Amino acid sequence: MVERNVSVIIPTYNRAHILRKTIPTYIQEVVLEVILVDDGSDDHTREVIKQLHKQYMEVKYIRLKRHRGITYAKNAGVQKARGKYIYFGDDDAVLYKDTLSRLKAAIETFPADIAGAHGSYAESRDQIEQIEKYIAEYFTVPFQTRCVMDFDTGKLNFHYKIENVTEGLCVMACFMIKAELAKTMKFDKAYIGNGAREDMDYLLQNAEQGRRMVYVPDTYEIDLPYFMVKGGGCRNLKFWDSIFCTIRNFNYFIDKHYTFLKKAGFISVTKRRAKLILLKNLTNDNIIPWLKTFI
């Protein structure tokens, strides 16, 4: 008999319109509970979660009195979790079948403290509806490094594919961790606004404590296309507020973790250059193209 000992924690904010699409995908065989932490939503999130609970008894609800941000919400969920393992999910993403059982098995048999899944951003409704085809076509690049993030260029490889459980530095938001460790390591509430890099910060905090991490094959969490999400969550900010928070959070992240990344061989550029890389990437993405003049 399969032991149901995984707690899934999902912060949510003004995403009532997509919860019926995403949350059921987290109700997998090894799941004890799915804790939805309502970060002060002012839409009909409460009513939708109540309906989900009637259909899926695993769904639990925590409501914060006011909007506090994604890191605060995750920390609140951890304190209520009853499972042996914790998986941090997203209210705007769907989870591929058997992902949680594979992550759990990797932690138990490798062994490891944290097991990371593959993450990506779908661009069309068809990619979500035909997920098997999307996975076969999208995840094609062999994983041949210790990390899917190139800190020298600021680029994250969303296309990687691995054949076996592989040790490395996990940096993507979709991961499972032993609950006993999660309860001793809080998400940093200094990440403001859109919370950019809060998840990577949390994983690096664990890496700096010497906790073992692995990537696991056939595990996928895929974000819904932007047009299906329409705001809410970390996308509730105005354009320039989001740009400000992204730059500020990235700079804070580099200041906090540069020494470790340099010593461990994950970054070779100077701290100043690492910060400029963020602006360069933003300009290459045509978010703030006029900055190219100064970089």
Side-chain angles (χ1 to χ4, degrees):
M1 183 176 179
V2 175
E3 189 174 5
R4 298 163 63 87
N5 56 4
V6 174
S7 293
V8 178
I9 296 172
I10 303 178
T12 187
Y13 178 64
N14 286 347
R15 289 272 175 77
H17 56 293
I18 57 173
L19 294 181
R20 294 184 185 89
K21 177 72 174 178
T22 59
I23 300 308
T25 67
Y26 292 90
I27 311 295
Q28 299 190 0
E29 189 178 32
V30 295
V31 170
L32 171 66
E33 58 190 356
V34 175
I35 303 174
L36 283 156
V37 185
D38 182 355
D39 189 17
S41 299
D42 53 19
D43 62 357
H44 57 292
T45 289
R46 183 197 296 268
E47 289 71 24
V48 171
I49 296 177
K50 185 181 295 186
Q51 293 169 10
L52 285 169
H53 174 71
K54 291 180 180 179
Q55 187 174 0
Y56 306 101
M57 295 301 294
E58 296 91 343
V59 172
K60 310 297 181 186
Y61 180 61
I62 299 174
R63 177 174 172 81
L64 304 182
K65 293 182 178 179
R66 60 185 178 88
H67 186 54
R68 302 293 296 269
I70 190 169
T71 56
Y72 189 97
K74 286 182 177 179
N75 289 335
V78 169
Q79 296 309 308
K80 297 293 185 180
R82 298 182 294 119
K84 184 177 180 180
Y85 305 101
I86 290 175
Y87 181 84
F88 294 99
D90 294 295
D91 60 357
D92 62 344
V94 294
L95 194 66
Y96 184 60
K97 64 182 181 181
D98 299 326
T99 286
L100 297 179
S101 61
R102 293 189 177 107
L103 293 175
K104 175 186 169 183
I107 290 177
E108 293 177 341
T109 61
F110 192 76
D113 300 308
I114 294 172
H118 303 57
S120 75
Y121 295 84
E123 297 179 352
S124 70
R125 191 183 301 272
D126 285 346
Q127 290 174 337
I128 296 296
E129 301 299 336
Q130 302 176 44
I131 196 166
E132 298 280 357
K133 179 181 178 182
Y134 173 64
I135 289 171
E137 294 178 348
Y138 187 86
F139 297 94
T140 58
V141 179
F143 179 65
Q144 299 174 327
T145 63
R146 292 189 296 150
C147 182
V148 297
M149 178 80 177
D150 183 345
F151 288 96
D152 281 348
T153 64
K155 296 296 184 181
L156 186 61
N157 176 18
F158 289 105
H159 298 265
Y160 74 100
K161 178 179 178 61
I162 60 176
E163 302 297 334
N164 303 294
V165 177
T166 305
E167 189 164 9
L169 178 64
C170 295
V171 295
M172 302 187 80
C174 39
F175 64 92
M176 183 180 292
I177 182 173
K178 294 177 179 177
E180 62 187 272
L181 301 180
K183 291 182 183 294
T184 66
M185 181 74 71
K186 290 188 175 183
F187 284 84
D188 188 343
K189 291 183 287 187
Y191 288 88
I192 62 174
N194 60 14
R197 283 294 184 266
E198 52 83 19
D199 44 13
M200 194 177 292
D201 170 272
Y202 183 82
L203 286 160
L204 278 175
Q205 286 188 72
N206 279 279
E208 289 162 4
Q209 293 293 320
R211 294 171 178 176
R212 198 176 193 188
M213 304 180 180
V214 295
Y215 290 104
V216 183
D218 300 319
T219 59
Y220 304 95
E221 182 180 309
I222 302 172
D223 280 33
L224 300 182
Y226 184 77
F227 71 88
M228 292 179 65
V229 177
K230 298 179 182 178
C234 295
R235 300 179 182 178
N236 64 304
L237 296 178
K238 295 180 180 178
F239 177 80
W240 286 112
D241 289 337
S242 181
I243 292 295
F244 168 79
C245 289
T246 298
I247 295 173
R248 183 267 175 203
N249 289 342
F250 274 51
N251 285 340
Y252 175 73
F253 173 85
I254 292 296
D255 284 335
K256 182 176 179 180
H257 295 293
Y258 181 81
T259 300
F260 169 79
L261 292 170
K262 181 79 170 178
K263 185 176 181 180
F266 288 105
I267 194 169
S268 61
V269 299
T270 65
K271 183 187 291 188
R272 179 177 181 275
R273 180 60 186 166
K275 292 181 177 181
L276 286 174
I277 284 169
L278 163 67
L279 299 182
K280 182 175 183 296
N281 288 338
L282 288 176
T283 61
N284 287 343
D285 293 337
N286 295 316
I287 296 176
I288 39 178
W290 51 268
L291 273 177
K292 287 183 178 180
T293 308
F294 305 99
I295 300 175

